[in-house]
Amino acid sequence: MKLTADDIPSIDWRGEPITEASCAGCVHARLRASGGCEPGRSCMQDAYARRIDRFFRTWPELANEHLAHGYFEVRAIAARHAELFRLPALLDDPDETVRMQLALRVPQRLLLRMVHDPHREVRIRVAQRIEATALPSMLKDPDYQVRQTVARRLPEALLPLLMHDVDLQVRLEVARRLQMPSLWRMVEDAAPEVRRIVAERLPAPLLDALATDGDWTVRWEAAGRALGHVLERLLSDEEPEVRERAAARQAELECTHG
């Protein structure tokens, strides 16, 4: 049977049971007395993040007081609710969970200080939020998912800088966005997955190079958009799937032109 939040034992962040006695010694004992928090459901001393979150959702004005708490989950959740001017003190927090919350909230001038954060998940969030004009500072990030995020947001004029990235996922993002004439330079990409996207987006009169591609799936993609002598060539392709796609394309053109 799946446990619910209320079934999980009430243990504090030090591993000790939360009892009436520990509640009485809590800095927020007055809230407990008035029903403002509840062990096992809403408690900032609990080890369970969901209960900490419930507490600060109810009492966001208390978040500033707990940004230096000894438990990283408390600091991270408090950072969601704290006033912005209090967040710079956490930029060098030892836990990436806390810094990830900062990356979602701090203003751009502070976000720039996080582009070289040691944790990839933090840098991914930075790449999602940082101003487009600052994205070039992350072009050489060591993590491919960071560069992939950069490729999704980078100004089009700068996309060629990632055209030869070592990672396939980054080049796929580039191929989906790159415009002519730079797109033409990706017809020789080493990965057929990239060349298929190029075949989908390249102007039809320029599909000649992809009609003889060594990968039949690239030729199949080209066959769906080919014209003239390129289509004629694909009608005789060695792969039946390519010939079938080329025949469907020919029929489509004949229908269109009467």
Side-chain angles (χ1 to χ4, degrees):
M1 183 175 66
K2 184 177 180 180
L3 292 176
T4 67
D6 293 335
D7 293 325
I8 297 173
S10 297
I11 304 295
D12 72 16
W13 61 280
R14 295 186 181 91
E16 299 295 328
I18 295 176
T19 63
E20 290 294 334
S22 61
C23 284
C26 175
V27 293
H28 299 304
R30 61 180 179 80
L31 297 181
R32 173 79 174 107
S34 63
C37 58
E38 180 183 347
R41 188 176 188 283
S42 174
C43 177
M44 55 94 23
Q45 301 289 5
D46 204 294
Y48 188 43
R50 187 171 295 179
R51 293 170 183 162
I52 300 170
D53 184 59
R54 285 198 190 107
F55 178 88
F56 283 115
R57 284 179 182 273
T58 305
W59 304 103
E61 65 273 17
L62 298 177
N64 287 349
E65 301 176 19
H66 297 288
L67 294 176
H69 195 278
Y71 186 36
F72 77 93
E73 289 281 20
V74 172
R75 299 196 306 276
I77 296 170
R80 297 177 191 168
H81 303 279
E83 296 169 336
L84 285 177
F85 73 89
R86 299 292 297 270
L87 298 182
L90 294 175
L91 285 173
D92 296 317
D93 192 279
D95 195 277
E96 67 271 12
T97 307
V98 178
R99 300 196 307 276
M100 280 192 281
Q101 291 301 323
L102 296 191
L104 296 174
R105 292 198 63 205
V106 296
Q108 290 290 324
R109 61 183 178 80
L110 295 180
L111 201 57
L112 286 169
R113 291 173 51 184
M114 304 183 76
V115 297
H116 299 299
D117 189 277
H119 200 280
R120 62 189 291 273
E121 293 295 338
V122 176
R123 299 197 309 277
I124 288 171
R125 283 158 179 76
V126 172
Q128 289 170 341
R129 280 197 62 221
I130 200 168
E131 289 179 348
T133 54
L135 281 169
S137 64
M138 306 187 79
L139 283 171
K140 296 184 179 180
D141 192 279
D143 188 89
Y144 85 91
Q145 284 195 313
V146 176
R147 300 195 308 278
Q148 182 181 26
T149 304
V150 170
R152 291 185 186 129
R153 301 188 56 233
L154 196 67
E156 286 182 5
L158 298 178
L159 276 174
L161 295 174
L162 287 173
M163 188 188 308
H164 302 296
D165 193 276
V166 296
D167 192 89
L168 169 62
Q169 297 304 317
V170 178
R171 299 199 310 280
L172 287 173
E173 290 295 338
V174 174
R176 292 183 185 110
R177 296 189 57 216
L178 200 62
Q179 301 299 316
M180 287 292 292
S182 297
L183 181 62
W184 170 254
R185 294 161 59 190
M186 298 195 80
V187 298
E188 296 181 353
D189 190 276
E193 296 92 337
V194 172
R195 301 197 304 275
R196 281 202 299 272
I197 293 176
V198 176
E200 290 175 2
R201 302 188 59 235
L202 204 65
L206 299 179
L207 287 171
D208 200 341
L210 295 171
T212 57
D213 193 276
D215 188 285
W216 75 267
T217 64
V218 177
R219 302 196 306 277
W220 183 89
E221 201 66 63
R225 303 180 55 240
L227 298 169
H229 72 280
V230 175
L231 181 57
E232 290 295 329
R233 179 186 301 165
L234 291 167
L235 284 167
S236 303
D237 193 272
E238 63 184 28
E239 290 291 335
E241 289 87 352
V242 176
R243 296 196 301 272
E244 182 180 347
R245 185 84 187 273
R249 172 62 171 168
Q250 184 180 53
E252 174 191 351
L253 292 172
E254 290 173 351
C255 180
T256 301
H257 298 296

